[in-house]
Amino acid sequence: MLRNARLGPGGPLRHVLIVGGRVAEVAAEPPPCDESVDAGGGTLLPGLWDAHVHSAQWAQARRRIDLTSARSAREAVGLVAPFSGAGASGASGFTVGYGFRDGLWPDTPHKSLLQAAAPDRPIVLVSNDLHTAWFSPAALAAIGRGGHPTGVLRERDCYDAMAEMPPPPEEELDRWVAEATTAAAARGVVGVLDFEFADNVTDWTRRVRSERIDVRVGCSIPVNRLEEAIGRGLRTGEPVAGTGGLLEVGPVKTFVDGSLNTRTAYCADPYPGGDARGLLETAPEELYGVMALAAGHGIDPAVHAIGDLAVGIALDAFERTGCPGRIEHAQLVRPEDFGRFARPGLVAGVQPAHAPDDRDVADLHWSGRTGRAFAYADLLAAGAVIELGSDAPVAPLDPWDGIASAVARTDDDRPPWHPEQAIPLPVALAAAARGRAGVRPGDPADLVITEYDPAGLDGDGLRRMPILGTLLGGRWTYRRSI
């Protein structure tokens, strides 16, 4: 039993009995029990989910050179150069940096800059949005791409090149991923939807059997593995056998476009300085074919769409197939398309921390349209169902960062960016908890106890929220001082 827990933001103190991994009773007076813990007035909430992560990339990014402060290509090179000497690389032999954003840089990344700073060293710098990889000449040669003219690979070329790099040993990466789930549990996370470009069902099944995994996992299916998944009989929402209820089959992930920072989000209006409107990764007919095939075998589609034309194409495909599923990101939406999100079974998977992170890039590249960018209030007003994620490692795997950004629309000392698109705290908390808006008898005991009542905090306070404890099916995955 959890004694003296505040039941939700601004709620009363109650005693919550947990039996067999579920909430059995919520009472004003303590019911009989075998074991009790005093929550000390901490606020009890449904456990939080991160509805969009890349688990292996996040686990590796936690160990890579941080480039988020770089304000130019030369600054990024300066940050990584001290780590690129002999013996400084990891087990793969590559020196890897992560987190640069070149959308506002005054200069252009090029392999020659890395060569000049660290001659003949294999260096790879990965952009914050994961859509660009910047290779040194030695790194290009190591993956058989020595003739690439610039060393800057975007979109499909980026994904393929990163896949060609030697990975960490499997057991080491599994340990890193497991450690990342424990760190997530310390922030109140009880589940993630993993969009890693891998055989996630197989990888996570192996991890559950060999490591302590402190979250539930929805295991997405990359589109290039769709036919394999169909052959294995995988169906979205079904539990994965032999994993103790920790794993379920997720949706199949496909892409319509690229990203804002890489200027490949597919938009109705061209980017400044030319006629380019972004990159169409999957043509409408091809998208429809993939979604129809998946839906016909019980697999829901999750469609990556960031630019407004891409979002419209995704919505067209959902209307044509009539299937449930997800649109991931939906960062820029045409006015006429908001209402189209209000269809049964459709979820908009959004990442609120991207709004303050990308506000300057959006103001530059989406000038005049930012009132409908990261437009969560308008989506909700139109009847959309939203779920919050981080897109880790694009943003930290910390749901409080996303909740704070959704409510406050800023993460620094600047005024809120388009505050009309802020959403109420209770809505944000539910969207970060797979729709759970309270703790009720019969619920799974996937719970988080916060030290402070979220109702009394501003954005900065929410972002730094101390966690007292996290329970997964009634098991402590994190416990601080209670």
Side-chain angles (χ1 to χ4, degrees), residues 3-7 13 38-44 449-453 468 482:
R3 293 183 287 112
N4 302 314
R6 188 169 303 283
L7 209 62
L13 290 179
D38 191 345
T43 300
L44 185 67
I449 307 167
T450 64
E451 183 172 354
Y452 305 130
D453 186 343
L468 296 179
I482 57 174

Short mmCIF file of all heavy atoms in Angstrom, two decimals, residues 3-7 13 38-44 449-453 468 482:
data_model
loop_
_atom_site.label_atom_id
_atom_site.label_comp_id
_atom_site.label_asym_id
_atom_site.label_seq_id
_atom_site.Cartn_x
_atom_site.Cartn_y
_atom_site.Cartn_z
N ARG A 3 0.74 4.85 1.23
CA ARG A 3 -0.01 5.70 2.15
C ARG A 3 0.27 7.16 1.87
O ARG A 3 1.36 7.54 1.45
CB ARG A 3 0.36 5.37 3.60
CG ARG A 3 -0.08 4.00 4.07
CD ARG A 3 0.24 3.76 5.54
NE ARG A 3 1.69 3.56 5.76
CZ ARG A 3 2.46 4.40 6.40
NH1 ARG A 3 1.97 5.53 6.90
NH2 ARG A 3 3.76 4.13 6.56
N ASN A 4 -0.72 7.99 2.09
CA ASN A 4 -0.56 9.45 2.04
C ASN A 4 -0.01 9.93 0.69
O ASN A 4 0.94 10.71 0.63
CB ASN A 4 0.35 9.94 3.18
CG ASN A 4 -0.18 9.55 4.54
OD1 ASN A 4 -1.37 9.72 4.83
ND2 ASN A 4 0.69 9.00 5.39
N ALA A 5 -0.61 9.43 -0.37
CA ALA A 5 -0.24 9.86 -1.71
C ALA A 5 -1.29 10.85 -2.21
O ALA A 5 -2.50 10.60 -2.09
CB ALA A 5 -0.16 8.66 -2.65
N ARG A 6 -0.83 11.94 -2.77
CA ARG A 6 -1.76 12.91 -3.37
C ARG A 6 -2.22 12.37 -4.71
O ARG A 6 -1.42 12.06 -5.59
CB ARG A 6 -1.08 14.26 -3.54
CG ARG A 6 -2.06 15.36 -3.99
CD ARG A 6 -1.42 16.73 -3.90
NE ARG A 6 -0.92 17.01 -2.55
CZ ARG A 6 -1.69 17.35 -1.53
NH1 ARG A 6 -3.01 17.46 -1.69
NH2 ARG A 6 -1.15 17.58 -0.34
N LEU A 7 -3.52 12.27 -4.87
CA LEU A 7 -4.07 11.60 -6.03
C LEU A 7 -4.19 12.58 -7.20
O LEU A 7 -5.22 13.24 -7.37
CB LEU A 7 -5.43 11.00 -5.69
CG LEU A 7 -5.83 9.75 -6.47
CD1 LEU A 7 -4.86 8.61 -6.20
CD2 LEU A 7 -7.25 9.32 -6.10
N LEU A 13 -5.32 13.58 -0.48
CA LEU A 13 -4.45 12.51 0.00
C LEU A 13 -5.26 11.22 0.12
O LEU A 13 -6.36 11.21 0.67
CB LEU A 13 -3.85 12.86 1.35
CG LEU A 13 -2.80 13.98 1.36
CD1 LEU A 13 -2.33 14.24 2.79
CD2 LEU A 13 -1.62 13.64 0.47
N ASP A 38 5.06 4.95 3.03
CA ASP A 38 4.51 6.30 3.19
C ASP A 38 5.04 7.18 2.07
O ASP A 38 6.23 7.45 1.98
CB ASP A 38 4.90 6.86 4.55
CG ASP A 38 4.14 8.14 4.88
OD1 ASP A 38 3.52 8.73 3.97
OD2 ASP A 38 4.16 8.54 6.07
N ALA A 39 4.12 7.65 1.20
CA ALA A 39 4.51 8.53 0.10
C ALA A 39 4.75 9.95 0.55
O ALA A 39 5.18 10.79 -0.25
CB ALA A 39 3.44 8.50 -1.00
N GLY A 40 4.42 10.26 1.79
CA GLY A 40 4.75 11.55 2.37
C GLY A 40 4.11 12.73 1.67
O GLY A 40 4.68 13.83 1.66
N GLY A 41 2.94 12.53 1.09
CA GLY A 41 2.27 13.63 0.40
C GLY A 41 2.73 13.83 -1.03
O GLY A 41 2.28 14.77 -1.71
N GLY A 42 3.63 12.96 -1.53
CA GLY A 42 4.02 13.02 -2.94
C GLY A 42 2.82 12.78 -3.83
O GLY A 42 1.84 12.14 -3.44
N THR A 43 2.88 13.28 -5.04
CA THR A 43 1.76 13.18 -5.97
C THR A 43 1.87 11.89 -6.79
O THR A 43 2.90 11.62 -7.41
CB THR A 43 1.71 14.39 -6.91
OG1 THR A 43 1.55 15.57 -6.13
CG2 THR A 43 0.55 14.29 -7.88
N LEU A 44 0.79 11.11 -6.78
CA LEU A 44 0.74 9.84 -7.49
C LEU A 44 0.09 10.04 -8.85
O LEU A 44 -1.04 10.54 -8.94
CB LEU A 44 -0.04 8.81 -6.67
CG LEU A 44 -0.08 7.39 -7.24
CD1 LEU A 44 1.30 6.75 -7.23
CD2 LEU A 44 -1.07 6.53 -6.45
N ILE A 449 5.55 8.56 -8.54
CA ILE A 449 5.30 9.45 -7.41
C ILE A 449 6.26 10.63 -7.53
O ILE A 449 7.49 10.44 -7.53
CB ILE A 449 5.52 8.73 -6.07
CG1 ILE A 449 4.71 7.44 -6.00
CG2 ILE A 449 5.14 9.65 -4.90
CD1 ILE A 449 5.12 6.53 -4.85
N THR A 450 5.72 11.82 -7.64
CA THR A 450 6.55 13.02 -7.75
C THR A 450 6.66 13.71 -6.40
O THR A 450 5.73 13.66 -5.58
CB THR A 450 5.98 14.00 -8.78
OG1 THR A 450 4.69 14.46 -8.34
CG2 THR A 450 5.83 13.34 -10.14
N GLU A 451 7.79 14.36 -6.16
CA GLU A 451 7.98 15.03 -4.88
C GLU A 451 7.04 16.21 -4.72
O GLU A 451 6.50 16.46 -3.64
CB GLU A 451 9.43 15.50 -4.73
CG GLU A 451 9.72 16.14 -3.39
CD GLU A 451 11.19 16.42 -3.17
OE1 GLU A 451 12.02 16.02 -4.02
OE2 GLU A 451 11.53 17.04 -2.12
N TYR A 452 6.82 16.95 -5.81
CA TYR A 452 5.98 18.15 -5.76
C TYR A 452 4.71 17.93 -6.57
O TYR A 452 4.66 17.11 -7.49
CB TYR A 452 6.74 19.36 -6.32
CG TYR A 452 8.05 19.63 -5.65
CD1 TYR A 452 9.20 19.83 -6.41
CD2 TYR A 452 8.17 19.67 -4.26
CE1 TYR A 452 10.43 20.07 -5.80
CE2 TYR A 452 9.38 19.91 -3.64
CZ TYR A 452 10.51 20.10 -4.42
OH TYR A 452 11.72 20.32 -3.81
N ASP A 453 3.71 18.69 -6.22
CA ASP A 453 2.46 18.67 -6.97
C ASP A 453 2.68 19.42 -8.29
O ASP A 453 3.01 20.61 -8.29
CB ASP A 453 1.36 19.36 -6.15
CG ASP A 453 -0.01 19.26 -6.81
OD1 ASP A 453 -0.08 18.96 -8.02
OD2 ASP A 453 -1.01 19.51 -6.11
N LEU A 468 10.14 10.63 -6.68
CA LEU A 468 10.34 9.83 -5.46
C LEU A 468 10.36 8.35 -5.75
O LEU A 468 11.08 7.60 -5.09
CB LEU A 468 9.23 10.14 -4.46
CG LEU A 468 9.16 11.57 -3.93
CD1 LEU A 468 7.98 11.71 -2.97
CD2 LEU A 468 10.45 11.95 -3.24
N ILE A 482 11.52 6.98 -0.20
CA ILE A 482 10.27 6.61 0.46
C ILE A 482 10.27 5.12 0.74
O ILE A 482 11.08 4.37 0.23
CB ILE A 482 9.05 7.00 -0.40
CG1 ILE A 482 9.12 6.34 -1.79
CG2 ILE A 482 8.93 8.49 -0.55
CD1 ILE A 482 7.90 6.56 -2.62
#
